[in-house]
Amino acid sequence: MANKVLMKGNEAIAEAAIRAGCRHYFGYPITPQTEVAAYMAKRMPKVGGTFLQAESEVAAINMVYGVASTGRRVMTSSSSPGISLKQEGISYIAGSDLPCLVVNVQRGGPGLGGIQPSQSDYFQATKGGGHGDYHLIVLAPSSVQEMADMTTLAFELADKYRMPAMLLADGTIGQMMEPVELAEPEEVVFTEKDWAVTGTKMQRKHHIVNSLYLNPEVLEQKNMERFARYAEIEKEEARYESFLMEDAEYCVVAFGIAARVSKNAVVAARKEGIKVGLIRPITLWPFPKEVMAKAADRVKGFVSVELSMGQMIEDVKLSIECRRPVLLCNRTGGMIMSPDEVLNSIRALCGGEAK
Amino acid sequence: MIVFEKPKSLTDKEFHYCPGCPHGIIHRLVAEAIDTLGIEGITIGVAPVGCAVMAYDYFTCDMVEAAHGRAPAMATGIKRSLPENIVFTYQGDGDLASIGMAETVHAATRNENITVIFVNNAIYGMTGGQMAPTSLPGQITQTSPYGRDVKTAGYPVKVAELLSSLDGPEFIARVAVNNVKNVRNAKKVIQKAFENQIQNKGFSLVEVISACPTNWGMTPVNALKWVEDNMIPYYPLGIYKDKSAQKEAENK
Amino acid sequence: MTTQILIAGFGGQGILFAGKFLANKGMLEGRYLSWLPSYGPEMRGGTANCSVVLSDDPVGSPIVNHPDVLIVMNLPSLDKYEDAVVPGGTIFVDSTLIERKVNRQDVKSIYIPATKIAQQNGIPTLANMILLGKVMKETEFVSYQGIEEAVRSVVSAKHADLYELNLKAIRMGYEYQEQ
């Protein structure tokens, strides 16, 4: 592990973003993501970038909207209540077909909720969040290494598809430290985009960054075009990790920190002779439907493990078209299930208690 | 020979504004400043939500359309990304002084190097004439049908006075476009607000007292008279803050 | 082999720092590891705890529910976590701050008056590191060899003067003999 450094997940996001060529960060303090802002405040001035503590999350996301309009890599980060405030701006950015990165280090909700880890913003992240027809690319890291790697990936996918990407982490992954190997810094090369506002230099017609289409036929067409792009993303970009699924008769589905806990439970269940495996969605949108559907051909049942009242479970059921029972193993409000609780759900599933 | 021409930095698109609406004049003054300073190729404008929502179609420079009230935040992002470019926002009273007050105050206090054109016509025009943060006491609107009652609806926000109390901003002024003399002065002041940005002086806001004949329910001529008789006495014209001029005076 | 360690006490006792030392030590030894703090405003003056997992394989859950090694620096932490320790595990107790003994018979209990030793030696804030010295003496999940490098990686350059003191504290704990 010679090249590894020990870092908090939140810090890994910030460093990876800078290395990915992001030179603009706008944020507002909120637990448990504040280390991202603190790290950026320290580092951005050293690399000639912008760190700005905005007056609110609303202002921060609209500053992101501004930089994104100019075609440069830009990000903001927050935790659940702050992400709710950003939804207006995210909807505008999606509606204007601009790339950017939004990080949500989730905490318990609703309302002010709590500050302990949660995954209860799953619906908000994967089903739109703000008003209108749109999606974000949603990546769910489950280690500090992935916090860094997926930050880079999120920028790349956002640029490729001209849409906002979200890193959907949680307080545990944000606060924990693990050894991490960081990518070599990318040189910041600014390529002129044929849609960005950078000044016409009197050499071209003006560019307009906009999400307003008062003619409903035009707006419908715009949304259709956007969803054609989404269809391509669903085909090309679904990512997941498979763990001990080769001979599995039962399947645990979990992402982020819940997947870490579930892995322990799967290993323990295997020791008891239960043939169980784990599918960990890495992209939550697009949801890895195909691998779930294929698993449903072979396995007898699923357990959806999540830190919410049961949100991802709906996507699991949809993916397998309810062909198999799906149990819910969940904690919420900032509580995290123990591996034993997951193990009990696995036992319940294979004990035929699944309805 | 004097030839009356359309400024180069206005497109050929016909304005959608109501008859007698001063937005056309104010657009023109902004475009004339851009032309005079030769900055069209490097300028990026931020359109608001409100009557000027489609301003992006009228200026030939690059344009973006902000969320309601967020133009100064969006302009901040653009300016931080492209500090060599010129960035202006064009906002109405609901946009700037109600929903976007936080963004306005904080862009000002950061002395963000942008130019803000603030059109104050004391009413929400686009949505059909509701009470604005700048509607005058007693003013009848769709949502103050018995006249603005300051006991329940509070007092109008005096943006120029409010912002000039901050240490941050470079330049705060209030002008009007109700007569030729005032228009000429407005032109000068708007140009200065752009020059300040070129000279990296910082946040420059020009409040332009305007009119809304349609939603005030007046003829254009009567509306301009109402500006003279009611608006300007409540919102006195003048330069409220000019940090550079003040420094110069102190050094003399 | 996987070792799950839980360190718990009051905020301000250097609980998280002690965990960071173990994490860095593990990293220098080429192990897989995770370090997870309790976080939030309740830490200031309230209870603090820190989960460290060291393993030869990639770490699954970073949350320590059943520690192999429990290090406690106040009574509420012993009360709270004693029963969670795996049978055959080890509990390290700062006996200056915790008067009672460990009730469990199926775990190894080790007592050291770390806070008193720290105070007597003019390093009152380093009882945590004295405890760690003792931990390294009594267990083998990290090696005593190479503590210098590990201390260097957790003591920031700003506080370079604390480098020697931390080492001193670890050594005192390691060499401590019950009188």
PDB file of all heavy atoms in Angstrom, chain A residues 81 107-114 120-121 332-333:
ATOM      1  N   PRO A  81     -30.918  17.888   4.318  1.00  0.00           N
ATOM      2  CA  PRO A  81     -31.768  19.089   4.278  1.00  0.00           C
ATOM      3  C   PRO A  81     -31.247  20.119   3.278  1.00  0.00           C
ATOM      4  O   PRO A  81     -32.033  20.814   2.610  1.00  0.00           O
ATOM      5  CB  PRO A  81     -31.676  19.643   5.703  1.00  0.00           C
ATOM      6  CG  PRO A  81     -31.219  18.509   6.546  1.00  0.00           C
ATOM      7  CD  PRO A  81     -30.363  17.654   5.661  1.00  0.00           C
ATOM      8  N   ARG A 107     -27.960  12.184   5.769  1.00  0.00           N
ATOM      9  CA  ARG A 107     -28.245  12.041   7.189  1.00  0.00           C
ATOM     10  C   ARG A 107     -29.729  11.748   7.338  1.00  0.00           C
ATOM     11  O   ARG A 107     -30.501  11.857   6.372  1.00  0.00           O
ATOM     12  CB  ARG A 107     -27.868  13.318   7.934  1.00  0.00           C
ATOM     13  CG  ARG A 107     -28.535  14.564   7.360  1.00  0.00           C
ATOM     14  CD  ARG A 107     -28.002  15.825   7.977  1.00  0.00           C
ATOM     15  NE  ARG A 107     -28.945  16.400   8.929  1.00  0.00           N
ATOM     16  CZ  ARG A 107     -28.733  17.537   9.565  1.00  0.00           C
ATOM     17  NH1 ARG A 107     -27.606  18.195   9.386  1.00  0.00           N
ATOM     18  NH2 ARG A 107     -29.617  18.006  10.414  1.00  0.00           N
ATOM     19  N   GLY A 108     -30.118  11.408   8.546  1.00  0.00           N
ATOM     20  CA  GLY A 108     -31.506  11.013   8.774  1.00  0.00           C
ATOM     21  C   GLY A 108     -32.485  12.157   8.561  1.00  0.00           C
ATOM     22  O   GLY A 108     -32.205  13.306   8.861  1.00  0.00           O
ATOM     23  N   GLY A 109     -33.670  11.841   8.060  1.00  0.00           N
ATOM     24  CA  GLY A 109     -34.736  12.816   7.869  1.00  0.00           C
ATOM     25  C   GLY A 109     -36.051  12.156   8.187  1.00  0.00           C
ATOM     26  O   GLY A 109     -36.055  11.043   8.705  1.00  0.00           O
ATOM     27  N   PRO A 110     -37.191  12.786   7.903  1.00  0.00           N
ATOM     28  CA  PRO A 110     -37.356  14.058   7.189  1.00  0.00           C
ATOM     29  C   PRO A 110     -37.136  15.281   8.094  1.00  0.00           C
ATOM     30  O   PRO A 110     -36.802  15.121   9.271  1.00  0.00           O
ATOM     31  CB  PRO A 110     -38.813  13.994   6.729  1.00  0.00           C
ATOM     32  CG  PRO A 110     -39.498  13.168   7.760  1.00  0.00           C
ATOM     33  CD  PRO A 110     -38.467  12.148   8.205  1.00  0.00           C
ATOM     34  N   GLY A 111     -37.348  16.448   7.513  1.00  0.00           N
ATOM     35  CA  GLY A 111     -37.160  17.686   8.266  1.00  0.00           C
ATOM     36  C   GLY A 111     -35.703  17.874   8.620  1.00  0.00           C
ATOM     37  O   GLY A 111     -34.816  17.486   7.885  1.00  0.00           O
ATOM     38  N   LEU A 112     -35.480  18.442   9.777  1.00  0.00           N
ATOM     39  CA  LEU A 112     -34.102  18.620  10.217  1.00  0.00           C
ATOM     40  C   LEU A 112     -33.500  17.267  10.555  1.00  0.00           C
ATOM     41  O   LEU A 112     -32.297  17.068  10.483  1.00  0.00           O
ATOM     42  CB  LEU A 112     -34.059  19.573  11.419  1.00  0.00           C
ATOM     43  CG  LEU A 112     -32.754  20.297  11.700  1.00  0.00           C
ATOM     44  CD1 LEU A 112     -32.144  20.910  10.445  1.00  0.00           C
ATOM     45  CD2 LEU A 112     -32.970  21.368  12.756  1.00  0.00           C
ATOM     46  N   GLY A 113     -34.374  16.317  10.900  1.00  0.00           N
ATOM     47  CA  GLY A 113     -33.950  14.922  11.067  1.00  0.00           C
ATOM     48  C   GLY A 113     -32.869  14.777  12.104  1.00  0.00           C
ATOM     49  O   GLY A 113     -33.025  15.196  13.245  1.00  0.00           O
ATOM     50  N   GLY A 114     -31.767  14.175  11.714  1.00  0.00           N
ATOM     51  CA  GLY A 114     -30.627  14.007  12.620  1.00  0.00           C
ATOM     52  C   GLY A 114     -29.363  14.155  11.823  1.00  0.00           C
ATOM     53  O   GLY A 114     -29.408  14.545  10.657  1.00  0.00           O
ATOM     54  N   SER A 120     -32.015   7.608   3.210  1.00  0.00           N
ATOM     55  CA  SER A 120     -33.432   7.855   2.958  1.00  0.00           C
ATOM     56  C   SER A 120     -33.689   8.956   1.929  1.00  0.00           C
ATOM     57  O   SER A 120     -34.823   9.364   1.731  1.00  0.00           O
ATOM     58  CB  SER A 120     -34.159   8.148   4.277  1.00  0.00           C
ATOM     59  OG  SER A 120     -33.508   9.175   4.976  1.00  0.00           O
ATOM     60  N   ASP A 121     -32.619   9.402   1.230  1.00  0.00           N
ATOM     61  CA  ASP A 121     -32.823  10.332   0.119  1.00  0.00           C
ATOM     62  C   ASP A 121     -32.780   9.591  -1.218  1.00  0.00           C
ATOM     63  O   ASP A 121     -32.581  10.190  -2.270  1.00  0.00           O
ATOM     64  CB  ASP A 121     -31.747  11.433   0.123  1.00  0.00           C
ATOM     65  CG  ASP A 121     -31.725  12.215   1.422  1.00  0.00           C
ATOM     66  OD1 ASP A 121     -32.714  12.115   2.191  1.00  0.00           O
ATOM     67  OD2 ASP A 121     -30.735  12.904   1.696  1.00  0.00           O
ATOM     68  N   THR A 332     -33.551   3.059  10.169  1.00  0.00           N
ATOM     69  CA  THR A 332     -33.721   4.408   9.625  1.00  0.00           C
ATOM     70  C   THR A 332     -33.463   5.452  10.710  1.00  0.00           C
ATOM     71  O   THR A 332     -33.195   5.096  11.859  1.00  0.00           O
ATOM     72  CB  THR A 332     -35.140   4.566   9.014  1.00  0.00           C
ATOM     73  OG1 THR A 332     -35.242   5.847   8.389  1.00  0.00           O
ATOM     74  CG2 THR A 332     -36.221   4.445  10.079  1.00  0.00           C
ATOM     75  N   GLY A 333     -33.504   6.711  10.321  1.00  0.00           N
ATOM     76  CA  GLY A 333     -33.358   7.806  11.290  1.00  0.00           C
ATOM     77  C   GLY A 333     -31.933   8.003  11.774  1.00  0.00           C
ATOM     78  O   GLY A 333     -31.685   8.750  12.710  1.00  0.00           O
TER      79      GLY A 333
END
